[in-house]
Amino acid sequence: MIGITRLFIIFGCLYGLVVTAAEPRPKVGLVLSGGGARGIAHVGVIKALHEKNIPVDYIAGTSMGAIVGGLYAIGMAPDDLEWAVKSVDWDKALNPGSPRVLKNYRQKQEEKDYFTELEIGISKEGAKSNVGLVGDHRVMLELQRLVGNFNVQNFDDFPIPFRAVATDLNAGVPYVMDHGDLAMAMRASMAVPLVFGPVKHQDRYLVDGGILNNLPVDVVKAMGADIVIAVNISSPLGQVDDKSSVISVTYQSIDVALVQNTKESEKWADIVIKPALKNILPNMFNRADDMITDGYLATYAESEQLASLVLSDYDYQSYLETRNFLPREIPSRIQFVRFEGNNRTSSARLNEHASAIIDKEFQAGLVQDFVDQVVAAEPDIQNITYKVVEEKNRRGIELKVQEKRWGPDYLRFGLKVADDFDSNTRISVLVRHQRFNINSKGGHWTNDLSIGSVLAWESELYQPLDFSNEYFATFNVEAIKDTKRLYQGLDAVGEYDHKRYGMGINVGHNPTRNSELRAGLWFKDESVSPVINDLSFKTAVDDTVGLKINYGIDTLEKTIAPRYGYDLQTELGIFDRVQYVSFDGFQRFPFFESSAAHVRFKFDFTDLVDDGEYFKAYGGVDDFAGYPTDSLLGLNMFIMEAGWFTDLDQIILPILGAPDLSVKAHWGNVWQRHINIENMLYGLSAGISFDIQNNVLYLGSGYSRDGDLRFYLRLGTGF
């Protein structure tokens, strides 16, 4: 009897072991919230889960959570995932304009007066503008580089089934993406309103999923998860009081809805991980290491709750073996390139660009650089995406072009405010009209208007003579009236209108992307009309016809406060009544991390002129600081500057940001016909400037020998 009892006990134990072994483990779903750069903390969470042998069977993410989650879902190991998010130059990717190094000389000169990227389009339907402040082609290219090219379109067929969450703008509901182009799904999920435009996906217009479902716990449960680990990296609410600005209140109003839907989602999660991320804002991509560490530590802080999900080494290795990295479709060489979607931009011009990469070894970086160059060179194009395709046993890339929806005519606006604190405030509003691609070679028409202290209309019809834009021809017209004060010494004694008219035909050559040479036949006429007091003097340029030659080269790293590069402009005029040569050039030499030395030479020399005439007006913060603006009239001029520029990054002011400090010394003079270098003017100037959304605010002072101590204010563009 005892033997039978023992037999039943042994049999019962063995049966229990078999049943236990056969019982499936719970399916684990990982939910990754949005939160801008703070989402990099998700990488630390995934690394910790991997170390703990905790499997992930489903992933759902929003915004940055969709990017990190999507990359993990297609088979990236945690260490590769960390490399991937760190490899993105987020500042460059989120920059609204093309890098200056990719722009040609003409584009660089145009942006000096119109720094702002705000562009209004004019078409038959009326005025329109871009729907986002940031051009998204570079972000999309980075996502495509990280994701790679593969044929799997169903997100359930990924090594880990995945969902990206966006917001359907027209339906007003969350939209869950479970198939299609993974990079495009990521892009849609992170389309923060105002910053990025919406993404069109299956006739839906999608924006950031965080608006309605920042922590999509419900989505991963619907996928089949038994246990949900939710990672919340969204920013906590700030504090609003009666001293808060309208901007602060607006941001807080948006964040309230996001925080509220996130709190509701947390209630449905089994385990919630909240990385500390102290003093880390959604735009601080430079704090990647700190965020990954915070995510890692926050996961280990929940070790007790996670303990039941830990697998043995053998079982976890078996799980990992089921997560094969998706195979990529990568051609060894780019055998052909084709474009789709271009209407205004001619295929011949695009194919001319494409010749630079055909038969090259395929590299994602090469394609990225190529697309960057095309978008920079073709102003009608908003963005370009690509995919690897096969055609007649050849592999190449297909580039989908999206042209600007707000074309084909564009308006930009600028502002110039100059004040010397001597009751002579000069204000001009600038308007630029441009029409591109008026023919297959990319001819375009530009009109510049200035209204205010300077009344001006300048028009240029620019026609490339080949598809590569190496040679070109232009037709130019200009009519300018500039109201100025007349000075005797440092005292204003009157006011006059300086009127300039000109018309010319040029042919030109672009030797490099950074330089331009043009020469043409011009008619020029200038005159002076008294406004206050009876003034009588003549200009050196008076109803004259002749040859005008211009050469320029610009390698500056950026338009505002560059640290390195040079900008040189030379003009030679050979007219029947005047001859002249003008030069203005400066170079910046970088020192340390945020400083630069500055050297500048500028001169004007004339011939076939008479005493009593004048060629140009000088003086002010740009030439001889310490003298009133345009107070020095002359036929010849020379000035040399040496100075120092530095970023004061340690000082951050609200709205204004960090200032740049400049200190310059100058030496030179202005003469009539006879040049005398024995009586030169020298002096110093110093000031601080702010780059406010690509507009300049400058406050400074200057002093010159025989001049005075003066203060200057500049606000707007073109300084």
Side-chain angles (χ1 to χ4, degrees), residues 339-351 353 374 377-382 384 401-404 410 436-442 467:
F339 294 86
E340 289 190 355
N342 55 298
N343 294 311
R344 299 191 297 269
T345 309
S346 75
S347 296
R349 280 179 61 83
L350 294 176
N351 290 330
H353 291 300
V374 174
E378 300 295 339
D380 258 332
I381 294 179
Q382 182 182 6
I384 297 177
V401 176
Q402 180 181 328
E403 293 179 327
K404 294 176 180 177
Y410 306 97
F436 302 106
N437 291 310
I438 57 179
N439 53 44
S440 62
K441 286 188 169 65
F467 289 112

Side-chain angles (χ1 to χ4, degrees), residues 271-558:
I271 301 169
V272 177
I273 298 173
K274 291 185 175 182
L277 303 175
K278 187 176 181 181
N279 298 324
I280 297 179
L281 300 177
N283 62 344
M284 293 184 174
F285 290 97
N286 60 324
R287 299 281 300 277
D289 288 331
D290 295 333
M291 290 183 276
I292 292 172
T293 299
D294 283 352
Y296 181 89
L297 295 176
T299 306
Y300 268 90
E302 303 297 333
S303 293
E304 185 175 340
Q305 293 192 67
L306 294 169
S308 62
L309 305 178
V310 175
L311 299 182
S312 66
D313 289 343
Y314 176 81
D315 289 341
Y316 190 68
Q317 188 61 38
S318 299
Y319 156 78
L320 291 179
E321 289 174 357
T322 66
R323 293 187 57 230
N324 295 321
F325 195 63
L326 289 178
R328 299 304 195 263
E329 299 290 331
I330 302 176
S332 58
R333 304 190 77 79
I334 302 173
Q335 295 175 295
F336 67 90
V337 175
R338 70 182 184 215
F339 294 86
E340 289 190 355
N342 55 298
N343 294 311
R344 299 191 297 269
T345 309
S346 75
S347 296
R349 280 179 61 83
L350 294 176
N351 290 330
E352 180 70 26
H353 291 300
S355 62
I357 62 169
I358 291 178
D359 289 331
K360 294 286 182 68
E361 181 181 350
F362 179 88
Q363 296 177 356
L366 174 69
V367 178
Q368 279 184 287
D369 291 343
F370 168 72
V371 171
D372 260 349
Q373 291 168 8
V374 174
V375 173
E378 300 295 339
D380 258 332
I381 294 179
Q382 182 182 6
N383 61 53
I384 297 177
T385 57
Y386 74 94
K387 64 180 179 181
V388 176
V389 294
E390 188 170 334
E391 182 180 272
K392 298 179 181 179
N393 296 321
R394 297 188 307 155
R395 282 192 171 182
I397 57 175
E398 179 181 282
L399 294 145
K400 185 176 182 181
V401 176
Q402 180 181 328
E403 293 179 327
K404 294 176 180 177
R405 302 185 185 97
W406 57 97
D409 291 273
Y410 306 97
L411 296 179
R412 285 194 176 184
F413 301 90
L415 175 69
K416 282 188 176 183
V417 178
D419 194 346
D420 294 0
F421 299 99
D422 60 356
S423 72
N424 184 24
T425 302
R426 295 166 57 82
I427 303 175
S428 296
V429 176
L430 311 177
V431 182
R432 169 169 287 163
H433 161 263
Q434 290 180 300
R435 176 72 178 260
F436 302 106
N437 291 310
I438 57 179
N439 53 44
S440 62
K441 286 188 169 65
H444 54 273
W445 184 30
T446 300
N447 291 280
D448 284 316
L449 296 176
S450 175
I451 303 171
S453 300
V454 177
L455 291 174
W457 170 53
E458 298 175 82
S459 182
E460 178 177 83
L461 184 62
Y462 182 95
Q463 178 58 58
L465 300 179
D466 53 14
F467 289 112
S468 62
N469 195 24
E470 184 176 358
Y471 298 94
F472 63 91
T474 72
F475 174 71
N476 299 78
V477 177
E478 61 183 27
I480 303 168
K481 187 188 80 169
D482 190 355
T483 302
K484 301 179 180 181
R485 285 185 173 181
L486 181 66
Y487 290 83
Q488 287 185 352
L490 302 176
D491 299 321
V493 296
E495 195 170 276
Y496 63 95
D497 286 336
H498 181 198
K499 300 176 182 179
R500 292 181 285 156
Y501 306 94
M503 181 182 300
I505 299 176
N506 303 279
V507 292
H509 172 51
N510 295 309
T512 66
R513 181 185 297 160
N514 297 320
S515 61
E516 178 188 279
L517 173 67
R518 61 170 67 187
L521 184 65
W522 275 74
F523 165 78
K524 296 172 73 74
D525 185 34
E526 298 184 12
S527 62
V528 171
S529 300
V531 177
I532 299 177
N533 291 337
D534 187 15
L535 310 173
S536 179
F537 58 95
K538 294 182 178 181
T539 61
V541 179
D542 181 15
D543 195 18
T544 183
V545 177
L547 177 68
K548 186 162 75 76
I549 301 173
N550 295 84
Y551 175 76
I553 183 168
D554 183 345
T555 66
L556 299 176
E557 55 143 347
K558 57 181 181 177

Side-chain angles (χ1 to χ4, degrees), residues 599-658:
V599 176
R600 178 193 184 199
F601 292 92
K602 179 179 179 179
F603 60 78
D604 292 304
F605 295 118
T606 61
D607 194 17
L608 302 182
V609 291
D610 296 322
D611 281 326
E613 296 178 335
Y614 94 96
F615 182 61
K616 289 184 181 179
Y618 310 92
V621 67
D622 295 324
D623 292 322
F624 293 90
Y627 280 87
T629 300
D630 296 331
S631 61
L632 300 173
L633 304 181
L635 295 169
N636 299 285
M637 185 276 291
F638 173 84
I639 188 171
M640 178 178 66
E641 289 180 353
W644 185 266
F645 287 72
T646 189
D647 297 334
L648 302 179
D649 293 334
Q650 64 275 22
I651 302 174
I652 305 293
L653 301 179
I655 301 178
L656 298 178

